[in-house]
Amino acid sequence: MKIDAADFASRIETYQQRVDASLERWLPGAEVHPQRLHRAMRYAVLAPGKRVRPILVYATAATLDVDLARVDGAAAAAEIIHAYSLIHDDLPAMDDDDLRRGRPTCHREFDEATAILAGDALQALAFYILSHDPAMTGSARARLQMIEKLALFSGSRGMAGGQAIDLAAVGRTLNVAELETMHIHKTGALIRTCVQLAALSAPRLGKKRFRALDSYAKCIGLSFQVMDDILDVVGNTATLGKTQGADSARDKPTYPSIIGLDASWEKARELHNGALQALSIFGEEADVLRYISAWFVERKS
Ligand code: GRG
């Protein structure tokens, strides 16, 4: 279906509401024992984030004509892994941030030990959902592949590995290739997983379309982070909901600090073009994914 900007905006809203309902179904209630831990998990996950990762799961499923009910669990699992990574990233041992999604970070609102546990428990919950959600798939093989993808891309060879590279890079000079490796792991891997989880829900997808979607995901995973680096320089704290300038204050290598602001914008545009190119084998059904790529490089938060 051909969509315009207004359709896209309404789809984003629908997907955000849809994943919020799914998250509410999977998260333990605030009154469930141990209440403090469950309150911290809910605080971090249900805070007003953009829900970019679930949006990608739903948009990919819609492109492939997969019933969205089949990916509600995958969408929630991706957002839950993301929320755990933000909690841990904000801890004093890592970035030591006070503000996230416009609110005090989890360890500021609760305490450090509770925040660590909330992150741990969220990570486990994401895998519980993928292994348990009855609506997801009838195929045990597809379910296992989804669990495998999420484990691989969020672990030491994906997001957590990227975070390790990031921590080791503070105060050091990286070249562009090293910076790209860090970003591909830290941010790109989970974004790539989202597209793959939805693709694995589509029976008879075929290697060609799977690869095309994966190359799209690689481009937008990196463009998202290039923009994150740019926004750290040109954004503002109120719109971002997190501390603007935090990366440069910590002397972190970023695209603007290594190649400059203009070249960083250019890089984001090139990646957007690469994403569109990757989708060229699809017709109008992939328009929502094209809009997502444009959104990533135009976003202000
Ligand atoms: C601690 C294992 C571990 C990993 C942390 C994702 C991550 C790795 C750190 C988050 C810090 C950060 C600024 C990462 C770069 C880009 C990014 C993932 C930003 C936050 O994602 P958004 O913009 O946030 O989608 P919202 O709040 O909208 O969900």
Side-chain angles (χ1 to χ4, degrees), residues 20 23 27-28 36-51 76 78-90 100-110 114-123 125:
D20 281 352
L23 290 167
L27 282 164
R36 188 172 174 81
L37 176 59
H38 290 146
R39 279 202 293 116
M41 290 162 71
R42 296 177 65 85
Y43 175 84
V45 174
L46 299 175
K50 294 182 289 298
R51 310 286 188 251
E79 185 65 15
I80 284 171
I81 289 283
H82 172 57
Y84 123 69
S85 80
L86 297 181
I87 298 174
H88 281 192
D89 181 68
D90 290 332
R100 173 67 67 184
R101 294 176 161 177
R103 298 177 180 182
T105 46
C106 192
H107 66 278
R108 287 269 168 226
E109 182 69 15
F110 293 85
T114 305
I116 293 170
L117 281 176
D120 293 341
L122 286 171
Q123 183 172 196
L125 177 59

Side-chain angles (χ1 to χ4, degrees), residues 127-139:
F127 287 99
Y128 175 79
I129 296 169
L130 288 191
S131 56
H132 192 80
D133 181 14
M136 209 165 76
T137 173
S139 153

Side-chain angles (χ1 to χ4, degrees), residues 81-298:
I81 289 283
H82 172 57
Y84 123 69
S85 80
L86 297 181
I87 298 174
H88 281 192
D89 181 68
D90 290 332
L91 286 168
M94 298 214 196
D95 276 3
D96 194 10
D97 259 312
D98 295 336
L99 190 68
R100 173 67 67 184
R101 294 176 161 177
R103 298 177 180 182
T105 46
C106 192
H107 66 278
R108 287 269 168 226
E109 182 69 15
F110 293 85
D111 55 75
E112 239 181 280
T114 305
I116 293 170
L117 281 176
D120 293 341
L122 286 171
Q123 183 172 196
L125 177 59
F127 287 99
Y128 175 79
I129 296 169
L130 288 191
S131 56
H132 192 80
D133 181 14
M136 209 165 76
T137 173
S139 153
R141 184 164 179 266
R143 189 184 290 278
L144 265 180
Q145 282 176 323
M146 290 182 204
I147 294 169
E148 182 195 359
K149 293 289 174 205
L150 189 66
L152 195 63
F153 284 126
S154 62
S156 63
R157 280 175 287 173
M159 183 182 74
Q163 180 75 348
I165 301 173
D166 181 314
L167 293 171
V170 175
R172 277 187 49 225
T173 315
L174 295 188
N175 61 35
V176 184
E178 290 170 323
L179 179 75
E180 200 159 297
T181 301
M182 175 175 99
H183 285 346
I184 286 171
H185 287 80
K186 190 177 85 166
T187 311
L190 187 56
I191 287 183
R192 208 173 147 200
T193 312
C194 293
V195 171
Q196 292 201 2
L197 290 180
L200 287 167
S201 307
R204 297 178 294 282
L205 173 64
K207 281 190 183 143
K208 193 173 168 199
R209 289 197 297 161
F210 186 91
R211 286 203 193 108
L213 287 169
D214 193 37
S215 0
Y216 161 82
K218 284 185 198 165
C219 289
I220 63 164
L222 191 53
S223 75
F224 188 82
Q225 182 58 57
V226 174
M227 279 311 297
D228 209 74
D229 285 359
I230 292 175
L231 288 171
D232 188 67
V233 180
V234 304
N236 72 72
T237 299
T239 316
L240 293 174
K242 61 181 182 180
T243 316
Q244 181 268 334
D247 290 346
S248 43
R250 271 186 222 107
D251 202 14
K252 277 196 174 192
T254 61
Y255 270 91
S257 73
I258 293 176
I259 62 172
L261 207 46
D262 287 347
S264 303
W265 286 113
E266 188 50 37
K267 176 78 185 173
R269 276 191 292 272
E270 272 170 23
L271 288 163
H272 173 49
N273 289 335
L276 297 182
Q277 184 57 39
L279 292 179
S280 59
I281 64 162
F282 291 92
E284 289 171 354
E285 72 277 13
D287 274 0
V288 63
L289 294 177
R290 296 184 179 97
Y291 269 101
I292 287 177
S293 178
W295 172 37
F296 277 15
V297 297
E298 284 161 12

